């Protein structure tokens, strides 16, 4: 079992600081590609975010600079805070119009993940542009995705949504070819899933340990 790390990243942060961080990311992206716009999406944009909300952004770039935007986005984001994970949704890894990126930053609360959609301006926010089976790629780590399910389950338990948490944990176990033990508490299932991912993928041990620490501290 992963030992809880008292120095691990905290789960949540100050909402005002989260918005300020999101604004810095938006400014950096808009500066990286002249003529582009970056805007808040999701619960932060709607004004109904809570302390467990992540950061959703949309970045719309001129069509002819879509490739350039993809080439510079990780460097631009790293200028705001060091990156510990930068992943692309496999459903659109080959799309010429859209990328969905999932980013974790070093030294920030665990739940401050950035979900960034990069759009070519001509199809910005058009659901049909993201529905292209030929755009699917195969660069994906199911173990990191399972850890994100575990982290999401902590969030849902704290929000008072145990059924949603259970569904997320089930998906996480299935991602790594395992079945959840329903006789365990949500906390212990989170820890078990974190242990599975850490054992299979050593580079995820720190993240798994942070999730274990959060489960021990936040879930009773």
């Amino acid at each position: 079992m992963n030992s809880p790390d008292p120095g691990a990243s905290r789960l949540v942060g100050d909402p005002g600081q989260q918005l300020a961080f999101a604004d810095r990311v938006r400014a950096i992206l808009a500066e990286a590609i002249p003529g582009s716009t970056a805007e808040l999406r999701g619960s932060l944009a709607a004004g109904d975010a809570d302390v467990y909300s992540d950061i959703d952004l949309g970045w719309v770039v001129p069509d002819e600079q879509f490739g350039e935007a993809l080439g510079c986005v990780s460097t631009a984001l790293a200028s705001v805070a060091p990156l510990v994970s930068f992943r692309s949704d496999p459903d659109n890894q080959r799309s010429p119009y859209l990328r969905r990126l999932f980013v974790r930053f070093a030294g920030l609360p665990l739940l401050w993940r950035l979900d960034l959609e990069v759009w070519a301006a001509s199809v910005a926010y058009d659901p049909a542009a993201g529905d292209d089976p030929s755009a699917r790629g195969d660069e994906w780590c199911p173990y990191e995705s399972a850890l994100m399910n575990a982290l999401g389950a902590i969030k849902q338990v704290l929000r008072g949504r145990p059924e949603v948490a259970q569904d997320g944990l089930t998906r996480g176990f299935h991602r790594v070819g395992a079945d959840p033990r329903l006789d365990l508490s949500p906390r212990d299932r989170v820890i078990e899933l974190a242990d599975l991912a850490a054992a299979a993928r050593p580079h995820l041990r720190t993240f798994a340990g942070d999730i274990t620490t959060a489960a021990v501290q936040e879930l009773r």
Side-chain angles (χ1 to χ4, degrees):
M1 178 181 294
N2 297 309
S3 298
D5 176 6
S9 299
R10 62 196 184 280
L11 184 67
V12 300
D14 177 81
Q17 292 179 354
Q18 185 187 43
L19 276 174
F21 178 78
D23 283 340
R24 290 200 299 275
V25 173
R26 290 171 55 213
I28 286 292
L29 292 175
E31 182 180 338
I33 300 293
S36 70
T37 59
E39 63 181 19
L40 284 173
R41 305 279 290 172
S43 60
L44 287 177
D48 56 6
D50 60 22
V51 294
Y52 309 116
S53 297
D54 55 15
I55 301 169
D56 296 298
L57 292 180
W59 187 26
V60 179
V61 303
D63 286 35
E64 64 275 12
Q65 293 178 280
F66 184 75
E68 181 181 350
L70 296 179
C72 75
V73 62
S74 62
T75 300
L77 294 174
S79 71
V80 183
L83 307 184
V84 292
S85 177
F86 180 87
R87 301 186 298 150
S88 174
D89 187 333
D91 284 345
N92 43 67
Q93 283 177 354
R94 297 173 180 167
S95 170
Y97 308 109
L98 168 65
R99 291 291 192 284
R100 292 188 178 94
L101 305 175
F102 308 119
V103 186
R104 291 189 292 113
F105 296 91
L108 297 182
L110 288 175
L111 291 179
W112 285 19
R113 184 181 82 170
L114 170 64
D115 290 357
L116 174 64
E117 290 189 345
V118 186
W119 289 91
S122 64
V123 296
Y125 306 119
D126 181 353
D131 188 19
D132 179 5
S134 68
R136 184 170 179 81
D138 55 11
E139 296 181 13
W140 192 247
C141 176
Y143 291 92
E144 186 165 1
S145 295
L147 287 175
M148 292 308 306
N149 286 125
L151 182 59
I154 296 174
K155 171 169 47 177
Q156 296 302 339
V157 170
L158 294 174
R159 282 175 165 167
R161 301 172 180 170
E163 297 84 4
V164 179
Q166 179 176 314
D167 288 345
L169 283 169
T170 298
R171 290 196 304 274
F173 276 97
H174 289 170
R175 287 186 194 276
V176 299
D179 291 318
R181 288 181 52 190
L182 299 181
D183 59 314
L184 297 179
S185 67
R187 183 182 87 162
D188 289 342
R189 273 180 278 161
V190 166
I191 294 171
E192 182 181 36
L193 184 53
D195 287 341
L196 283 172
R201 296 293 185 270
H203 73 282
L204 293 173
R205 284 176 181 166
T206 297
F207 187 32
D210 286 345
I211 290 173
T212 294
T213 297
V216 169
Q217 292 177 345
E218 302 290 342
L219 305 183
R220 306 300 177 195

